[in-house]
Amino acid sequence: MHSIRVGLTGGIGSGKSAVAAIWRERGAAIIDADLLAREAVAPGSDALRAIAQRWPAVIAADGTLDRAALAHVVFADDDERLRLNAIVHPRVRELAERREDALPPGSIAVHVVPLLFESDRWRTYDATVLVTAPDDVRVARVVERDATDAGGVLARMRAQMTPGDARELADYVIENEGSLDDLRVRANHVYDALLERR
């Protein structure tokens, strides 16, 4: 029984974290790029030093990263976002590889990657899974979750690949427009398919 590598993605507010949680209950090893990105920019890290050099205003008085200030800068300017990605993404990939290398044989390693299809790295996975939801549902979820405004959420959505384009590339699509119970049924159906691939 060999391990398989799964790329799990979806736009902001789509519900990919909820799918990851359901799969974790089933025994999947979840490797979350957002969590690794936080680790990559921890105080004292090379990435945080590089960010401080490029955008000194996004470093808080205590020396930590002011994420809201950084988001304001990079989601308003594609070039700045690309510069940030060039700093953070290689470090996140390195951390993810280390996590995966430590897993036992036969594991289902699920990499939760918000921008999975924005680069060619999606081709390195044995299977890719897209979680989708209607735009209005996504905006409402994020506004409630992050206590933010709809305009900021829409700006972040515009910075991501459209669900239609992502759908063309994904091996599996999980629609998440209903209840958590509906999502659980759909997520488990796909997980069963992944187990068969293993």
Side-chain angles (χ1 to χ4, degrees):
M1 188 165 52
H2 70 287
S3 303
I4 71 166
R5 306 176 72 244
V6 179
L8 174 64
T9 194
I12 183 171
S14 62
K16 60 187 172 296
S17 296
V19 170
I22 292 164
W23 288 357
R24 182 182 278 116
E25 290 170 8
R26 297 276 314 264
I30 305 299
I31 301 170
D32 189 323
D34 279 345
L35 296 179
L36 295 180
R38 288 175 181 269
E39 191 176 321
V41 298
S45 66
D46 292 342
L48 187 62
R49 278 191 286 277
I51 290 168
Q53 199 167 13
R54 173 79 196 167
W55 304 282
V58 305
I59 304 302
D62 64 358
T64 59
L65 182 61
D66 181 339
R67 290 172 193 288
L70 183 61
H72 185 72
V73 171
V74 300
F75 286 111
D77 185 319
D78 288 346
D79 289 337
E80 297 293 77
R81 193 170 69 255
L82 289 172
R83 285 191 181 94
L84 176 65
N85 290 346
I87 292 169
V88 177
H89 285 183
R91 291 162 173 91
V92 170
R93 278 197 293 274
E94 184 185 326
L95 290 168
E97 284 164 12
R98 274 194 233 151
R99 296 281 195 293
E100 188 175 335
D101 289 346
L103 295 175
S107 297
I108 293 189
V110 177
H111 293 258
V112 184
V113 185
L115 303 177
L116 180 68
F117 295 123
E118 275 78 351
S119 80
D120 265 354
R121 285 192 58 80
W122 65 273
R123 298 177 189 278
T124 67
Y125 295 96
D126 299 311
T128 56
V129 181
L130 172 69
V131 185
T132 67
D135 287 357
D136 58 333
V137 173
R138 292 169 58 198
V139 171
R141 283 179 187 152
V142 179
V143 166
E144 184 180 340
R145 180 189 75 198
D146 297 350
T148 186
D149 64 291
V153 179
L154 288 167
R156 290 173 70 181
M157 285 169 64
R158 281 193 297 272
Q160 297 178 333
M161 180 181 283
T162 68
D165 289 342
R167 194 183 283 271
E168 303 268 316
L169 300 173
D171 294 311
Y172 303 94
V173 178
I174 298 173
E175 308 283 354
N176 182 23
E177 77 284 4
S179 69
L180 187 56
D181 285 341
D182 293 337
L183 180 63
R184 186 176 293 281
V185 169
R186 292 170 181 176
N188 280 325
H189 181 71
V190 172
Y191 196 76
D192 290 340
L194 295 172
L195 286 174
E196 284 180 25
R197 288 176 83 123
R198 181 178 64 173

